[in-house]
């Protein structure tokens, strides 16, 4: 492996408010995804996960300002003119969004939407493209894929449309797939099938996946590494096993405690809600909701500090250090 | 006595040339103060059943009773007074609330319609309902867009509580919410059952949540209940292969990197259900007999029943 396929560093995204002020939505995010790797981004809504993804694709809302660097296969793509960006996007990156209603063109047949990329970007013939498209539909579990190709998006249910949207993203044979809550609206059985498909593609094709979701179960099953975001910043990162197995940031711990688990314990939700854009608390943005907050937490934004190779947390209090585990094994 | 019962309930939607039987004969009983979880894949009929339970659709066969009286399907007339304490919470608080009215006014409407507040309702009634769902009473002058998704769902629950319900049927009440908001809203509904004796029917495709909140769980497949029992028993000792498949498909957030188990195939078209056991085309342990026999719910243990030919024979459940 010759280094990461996608390398985001110091990314800042500011969005215009109604009054014209620029509000920070993403505030200095670093992340990297290598070929064949699945990187998970976790956090509640408003944490900046989706804006990070959209910035990577150059698809931010109108008026947004970005700073920092986004390198795709070594090439800086932040600030590329639209036309050049489009050719990079079409060949290298595909995105699956949460809402299947907007991902597909309502007036084009499924075949057209699944074969366009292959025919234009990869020069595949019509029949071969159709075969590949049918195969993809089969892999995302659309019954009778050949017949489905001739149909239009409105003829499918929401769950099926999402699966077609996933197939259409994969049809472009991307090297990087950005998936924003791709399975949130789907049944667990279908979700299991999609996660297995993504896992196979990354092993067989070296597909790099940036998967964004608040579902830690999904991330646990497929992601190699995790980035936990809160209020536009990365608060914890590390291997999935480390981050979920022994979380070091109170926010990560809070997300895990909010989850149901077997037995008699009740879910302990994090009190309050994430801050709105433009009203991020001073210091550590999480301190008003944090059970471990100390006086110093309001003073300055805590930096993301490495605590072990490949493992970092932005909590100076670090309340979950377990003395019996002196150092984490390198990931 | 059960506060809400369904007996042989079927829901049929007329279609062009073929009608769809979304619910194909369901027996259920909900006890006061319990949380009954209802799970299954989309298309299994759980929402149709929910709507039949509260009278939003008329069952094509069978009966639903609430407090011993048959539930009248909602028509143009106002609901009978006796049924106002049967309430529903919908999945999407963005569409179940009126975007153009202050939430306090919407809750006040519910109080007025429920007749509990009367014309001169206590001035603090709206505020105390908001407090009951964990919101600041001062928020009643706000509009729905000023709330987060979780807060909005609380407003919808406060509105349902205005009728002082004895049963709340909640159809996917948390699936549109963030993880932490999910826990808050789920805990709120469980609190209603535990502290106030409200029976809660909690419908969700998220099995992990249902495991956490439900005292009993019913698993639906293609219009029928295939297994029902105490939640922990169902999880630790599922008797129906479909229940086992659903549980195996739930990803566990333990950082182990284990992929969830796969259940191939889709829920079949309910207009043309498979013969015999409706699950047999997808069932990993189907026998040649399965397409020929429609299994009925059989007792597997105390309060635990499953509808599978392979589940050990015990006594049949009387409806």
């Amino acid at each position: 492996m010759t280094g990461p396929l996608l390398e985001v560093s110091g990314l800042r995204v500011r969005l215009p408010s109604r009054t014209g002020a620029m509000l920070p939505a993403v505030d200095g995010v670093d992340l990297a995804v290598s070929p064949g790797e699945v990187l998970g981004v976790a956090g509640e809504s408003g944490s900046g996960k989706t804006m990070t993804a959209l910035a990577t694709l150059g698809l931010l809302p109108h008026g947004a300002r970005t700073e920092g660097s986004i390198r795709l296969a070594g090439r800086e793509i932040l600030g590329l003119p639209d036309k050049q960006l489009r050719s990079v996007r079409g060949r290298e990156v595909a995105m699956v969004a949460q809402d299947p209603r907007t991902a597909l063109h309502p007036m084009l047949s499924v075949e057209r939407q699944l074969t366009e990329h292959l025919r234009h970007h990869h020069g595949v013939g019509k029949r071969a493209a159709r075969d590949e498209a049918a195969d993809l539909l089969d892999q995302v579990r659309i019954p009778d894929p050949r017949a489905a190709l001739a149909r239009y998006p409105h003829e499918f249910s929401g769950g099926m449309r999402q699966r077609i949207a996933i197939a259409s993203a994969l049809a472009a044979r991307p090297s990087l797939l950005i998936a924003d809550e791709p399975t949130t609206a789907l049944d667990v059985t279908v979700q299991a099938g999609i996660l297995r498909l993504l896992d196979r593609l990354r092993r067989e094709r070296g597909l790099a996946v940036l998967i964004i979701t608040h579902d830690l179960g999904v991330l646990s099953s497929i992601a190699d590494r995790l980035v936990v975001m809160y209020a536009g910043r990365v608060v914890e990162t590390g291997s999935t096993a480390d981050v979920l197995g022994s979380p070091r940031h109170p926010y990560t711990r809070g997300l895990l405690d909010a989850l149901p688990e077997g037995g008699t314990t009740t879910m302990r939700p994090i009190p309050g809600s994430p801050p709105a854009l433009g009203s991020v608390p001073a210091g550590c943005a999480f301190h008003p909701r944090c059970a471990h907050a100390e006086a110093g937490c309001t003073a300055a934004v805590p930096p993301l500090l490495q605590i072990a190779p490949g493992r970092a947390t932005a909590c100076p209090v670090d309340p979950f250090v377990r003395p019996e585990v002196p150092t984490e094994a390198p990931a | 006595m059960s506060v809400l019962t369904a007996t042989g309930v079927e829901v049929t939607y007329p279609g062009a040339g073929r009608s769809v039987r979304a619910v194909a004969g369901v027996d259920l009983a909900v006890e006061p103060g319990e949380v009954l979880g209802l799970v299954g894949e989309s298309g299994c009929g759980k929402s149709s059943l929910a709507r039949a339970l509260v009278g939003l659709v008329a069952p094509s066969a069978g009966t639903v009773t609430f407090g011993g009286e048959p539930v009248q399907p909602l028509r143009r007339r106002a609901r009978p007074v006796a049924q106002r304490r049967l309430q529903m919470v919908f999945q999407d608080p963005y569409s179940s609330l009126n975007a153009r009215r202050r939430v306090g006014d919407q809750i006040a409407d519910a109080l007025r319609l429920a007749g509990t507040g009367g014309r001169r309702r206590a001035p603090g009634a709206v505020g105390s309902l908001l407090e009951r769902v964990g919101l600041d009473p001062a928020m009643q002058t706000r509009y729905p867009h000023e709330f987060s998704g979780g807060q909005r769902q609380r407003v919808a629950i406060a509105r349902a509580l205005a009728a002082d319900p004895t049963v709340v049927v909640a159809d996917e009440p948390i699936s549109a919410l963030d993880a932490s908001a999910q826990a808050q809203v789920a805990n709120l509904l469980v609190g209603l059952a535990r502290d106030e004796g409200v029976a809660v029917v909690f419908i969700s495709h998220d099995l992990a949540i249902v495991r956490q909140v439900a005292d009993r769980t019913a698993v639906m497949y293609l219009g029928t209940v295939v297994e029902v029992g105490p939640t922990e028993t169902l999880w630790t000792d599922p008797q129906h292969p479909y229940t086992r498949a659903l549980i195996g498909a739930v990803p566990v957030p333990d950082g182990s990197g284990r992929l969830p188990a796969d259940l191939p195939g889709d829920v079949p078209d309910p207009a043309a259900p498979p013969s015999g056991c409706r699950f047999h085309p997808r069932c990993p342990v189907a026998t040649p007999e399965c397409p020929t026999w429609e299994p009925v719910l059989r007792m597997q243990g105390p309060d635990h029943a499953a509808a599978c030919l392979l589940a050990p024979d015990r006594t049949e459940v009387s409806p």
Side-chain angles (χ1 to χ4, degrees), chain A residues 44-45 141 143 163 186-189 191-193 196 199 214 216-217 220-221 241 244 258-262 265-267 269-270 272, chain B residues 41-42 178-180 183-184 186-187 205 208-209 211-213 249 251-264 266:
Chain A
E44 290 166 287
S45 42
R141 298 259 200 78
R163 286 183 261 169
L186 302 178
D187 285 316
V188 283
T189 48
Q191 171 174 281
R196 285 177 166 269
D199 189 62
H214 67 265
L216 298 180
S220 169
S221 60
L244 297 182
L259 293 175
E261 50 176 316
T265 52
T266 51
M267 295 171 280
I270 306 173
Chain B
E41 290 165 283
S42 46
D178 255 333
S180 59
Q184 291 168 0
N187 284 346
H205 70 278
I209 288 270
R211 180 184 194 182
Q212 192 71 39
V213 303
V252 187
D254 56 0
S256 67
R258 193 159 29 91
L259 282 167
D262 207 0
L263 173 64
D266 249 315

Side-chain angles (χ1 to χ4, degrees), chain A residues 89-102:
Chain A
R89 268 200 310 246
R91 280 181 162 274
E92 300 289 338
V93 192
M95 176 155 188
V96 180
Q98 181 174 3
D99 186 356
R101 283 170 301 184
T102 51

Side-chain angles (χ1 to χ4, degrees), chain A residues 2-59:
Chain A
T2 56
L5 178 67
L6 173 73
E7 198 169 10
V8 173
S9 52
L11 179 69
R12 278 171 215 282
V13 176
R14 286 177 301 152
L15 300 174
S17 73
R18 240 178 289 177
T19 58
M22 297 301 286
L23 307 176
V26 178
D27 194 11
V29 163
D30 302 325
L31 51 84
V33 197
S34 299
E37 185 184 42
V38 179
L39 176 72
V41 182
E44 290 166 287
S45 42
S47 62
K49 359 185 248 300
T50 297
M51 286 301 153
T52 303
L54 293 179
T56 308
L57 290 156
L59 292 175

Side-chain angles (χ1 to χ4, degrees), chain A residues 134-192:
Chain A
D135 184 47
L136 269 171
L137 286 180
D138 190 43
Q139 290 183 37
V140 294
R141 298 259 200 78
I142 298 294
D144 198 358
R146 293 269 160 193
L149 284 176
R151 291 161 70 187
Y152 288 82
H154 74 267
E155 299 178 67
F156 296 90
S157 70
M160 297 236 259
R161 255 183 272 178
Q162 181 67 335
R163 286 183 261 169
I164 295 170
I166 291 168
S168 113
L170 295 172
R173 293 184 189 161
S175 44
L176 171 67
L177 180 72
I178 297 180
D180 188 0
E181 303 276 6
T183 58
T184 303
L186 302 178
D187 285 316
V188 283
T189 48
V190 176
Q191 171 174 281

Side-chain angles (χ1 to χ4, degrees), chain B residues 41-171:
Chain B
E41 290 165 283
S42 46
C44 74
K46 49 191 196 300
S47 287
S48 293
L49 177 61
R51 297 172 81 80
L53 288 177
V54 297
L56 282 178
V57 294
S60 50
T63 49
V64 178
T65 68
F66 171 65
E69 298 291 320
V71 169
Q72 306 287 331
L74 193 65
R75 300 248 162 83
R76 288 192 186 170
R77 289 235 183 131
R79 228 160 205 243
V81 177
Q83 275 173 38
R84 289 185 186 149
R85 300 183 79 189
L86 171 58
Q87 288 289 320
M88 185 155 182
V89 173
F90 297 90
Q91 172 173 4
D92 183 4
Y94 292 78
S95 57
S96 69
L97 294 174
N98 185 338
R100 293 171 185 273
R101 297 197 67 210
R102 297 176 197 277
V103 299
D105 293 344
Q106 299 189 49
I107 295 171
D109 286 349
L111 279 168
R112 190 166 44 76
L113 289 167
T116 47
R119 219 171 263 274
R120 292 182 300 273
R121 68 184 160 78
V126 169
S128 64
L129 279 170
L130 285 173
E131 269 186 320
R132 256 174 92 187
V133 297
L135 293 175
D136 183 354
M139 289 173 154
Q140 59 181 286
T141 57
R142 297 199 193 168
Y143 289 92
H145 74 263
E146 299 176 76
F147 293 85
S148 69
Q151 290 175 325
R152 230 178 290 206
Q153 193 60 293
R154 287 154 183 272
V155 171
I157 293 170
R159 191 178 53 175
L161 291 179
D164 192 21
T166 52
V167 176
V168 171
V169 176
D171 187 8

